[in-house]
Amino acid sequence: MIEQTALMDIENLIFYYPQGQRPALNDVSFRVREGEFIGICGPAGAGKTTLSLCLNGIIPHAQAGRMAGSVSLRGVLLKEYTLPALSETIGYVFQDPETQMVSLTVEEEIAFGLENAGAAPSLIKERIREAVDAVGIDQLQNRSLKSLSGGQKQRVALASVLAMRPQVLVLDEPASELDPVGSRDFFQLLLQFNKALGMTIIIFEQKVDQLAPYLDRLLVLHEGCIAAAGRPNQVLADERVSGWGIRIPQVAEFAHVLAREAHFRLSEVPLTVEEGLSLIRQWKGKRL
Ligand SMILES: Nc1ncnc2c1ncn2[C@@H]1O[C@H](COP(=O)(O)OP(=O)(O)OP(=O)(O)O)[C@@H](O)[C@H]1O
Ligand SMILES: [Mg+2]
């Protein structure tokens, strides 16, 4: 297999907010390879939003605080780029979609970034069409943003970022306003961008029950530190993770219960019903 190139390098990252007594991030290191679909989960206050803002350059460019360590994109420190240059390469979807909305209508909102980047009107029109089709909001194109539900706003926020065709997409709890079916559709859509366009995706979530099956790699943030990292099946086999209030797939919880009953140590848990069935088949014959 050909070694994938490192796209982003996060090294020994420490961040204190101005009045913070404890670091919001405490010695965080990991690499992001080109084309990866990475999930970063953690309970409330673990440092997800803070880390996501370090990945798009808002920290240290626009958020005060003390930072040590480094974040680089293709070997260049993010602090060497300007924020507008970074926003063309690294698309960012905020935890609260309202934070990033600056226009009155859906169409204006999607056009905003492209207009600022000086794109030609014909290109803007084409990109709007592509983005609304991709995200499934073509019927909302002329609606006012105020009239949309929270879930619809999250889709508009995603469409505005996609219209810029970023190489990397960073999303901070983008499905928080969606129901389980809406979340699943949203994650499938991201997987499609990842697979079809090779877009590198880093998604922050507290609940990984719906998300885990789609990820190449899962990192767990706990009290500002990376507490676990690896393939989701392995990471979610660590019983501490659900103990920290991170919602894992029910079939994984079921495997934990069975393993405890059987005094059996799991190295991997199933994430889907199909994987659960094949585990049960493997266990047949073992005493449960
Ligand atoms: N602007 C700020 N000023 C001071 N402290 C902050 C600020 N924002 C976050 N913090 C603190 O930094 C730590 C990490 O917060 P962060 O918002 O990154 O966590 P999170 O994992 O995104 O949480 P949530 O799931 O609630 O969104 C918390 O202790 C939080 O109280
Ligand atoms: Mg957050």
Side-chain angles (χ1 to χ4, degrees):
M1 203 174 99
I2 300 165
E3 174 76 3
Q4 289 167 295
T5 355
L7 181 67
M8 296 187 78
D9 240 319
I10 294 85
E11 283 187 80
N12 307 109
L13 189 61
I14 299 173
F15 185 75
Y16 284 84
Y17 283 98
Q19 308 304 328
Q21 301 296 313
R22 294 184 344 172
L25 297 175
N26 193 358
D27 204 13
V28 170
S29 297
F30 62 99
R31 279 180 148 198
V32 179
R33 288 182 286 271
E34 187 120 43
E36 267 195 300
F37 190 178
I38 298 184
I40 303 182
C41 66
K48 299 183 296 298
T49 298
T50 310
L51 180 56
S52 72
L53 296 174
C54 292
L55 298 185
N56 71 2
I58 289 187
I59 295 177
H61 281 279
Q63 164 68 55
R66 281 180 290 139
M67 179 178 164
S70 63
V71 181
S72 55
L73 173 71
R74 297 190 197 285
V76 179
L77 294 176
L78 292 203
K79 60 181 181 198
E80 306 293 335
Y81 291 85
T82 62
L83 266 185
L86 277 176
S87 69
E88 284 178 29
T89 311
I90 304 175
Y92 186 78
V93 177
F94 283 85
Q95 182 163 5
D96 173 7
E98 307 246 351
T99 314
Q100 73 194 92
M101 296 195 161
V102 287
S103 315
L104 290 175
T105 70
V106 171
E107 191 172 290
E108 286 165 9
E109 181 64 22
I110 300 174
F112 181 79
L114 290 161
E115 280 169 356
N116 271 355
S122 56
L123 178 71
I124 296 178
K125 220 169 148 188
E126 188 187 313
R127 292 281 186 87
I128 291 175
R129 171 109 323 270
E130 276 176 16
V132 296
D133 278 351
V135 176
I137 51 165
D138 38 337
Q139 72 291 358
L140 302 179
Q141 198 169 328
N142 299 311
R143 289 266 295 274
S144 90
L145 291 172
K146 270 205 295 202
S147 70
L148 304 183
S149 70
Q152 288 170 329
K153 283 181 187 156
Q154 285 186 317
R155 282 179 176 263
V156 173
L158 178 63
S160 332
V161 171
L162 287 175
M164 302 288 289
R165 297 247 185 102
Q167 291 166 30
V168 186
L169 186 58
V170 178
L171 308 104
D172 187 12
E173 300 203 43
S176 56
E177 304 272 343
L178 300 172
D179 60 26
V181 174
S183 303
R184 196 199 52 209
D185 291 350
F186 192 90
F187 298 143
Q188 277 175 352
L189 188 67
L190 294 179
L191 184 70
Q192 222 173 300
F193 294 128
N194 172 252
K195 294 284 171 254
L197 305 175
M199 193 180 275
T200 305
I201 300 183
I202 307 165
I203 176 167
F204 290 81
E205 273 293 339
Q206 182 164 345
K207 300 175 278 188
V208 288
D209 51 338
Q210 300 271 340
L211 175 66
Y214 302 110
L215 300 171
D216 295 322
R217 200 146 58 100
L218 176 65
L219 278 61
V220 183
L221 255 187
H222 183 246
E223 296 180 352
C225 302
I226 302 281
R231 287 199 302 110
N233 301 72
Q234 292 167 337
V235 170
L236 298 181
D238 183 337
E239 289 211 56
R240 292 176 307 163
V241 175
S242 49
W244 288 331
I246 295 161
R247 200 196 291 167
I248 69 170
Q250 274 193 326
V251 63
E253 277 185 44
F254 180 62
H256 278 297
V257 172
L258 283 183
R260 273 199 298 273
E261 293 273 317
H263 306 289
F264 195 75
R265 208 176 138 72
L266 286 171
S267 58
E268 293 204 358
V269 282
L271 304 176
T272 61
V273 171
E274 292 72 27
E275 289 177 0
L277 269 175
S278 79
L279 184 73
I280 299 270
R281 287 188 186 118
Q282 276 175 37
W283 281 2
K284 257 190 176 170
K286 289 199 171 81
R287 262 187 310 130
L288 290 180

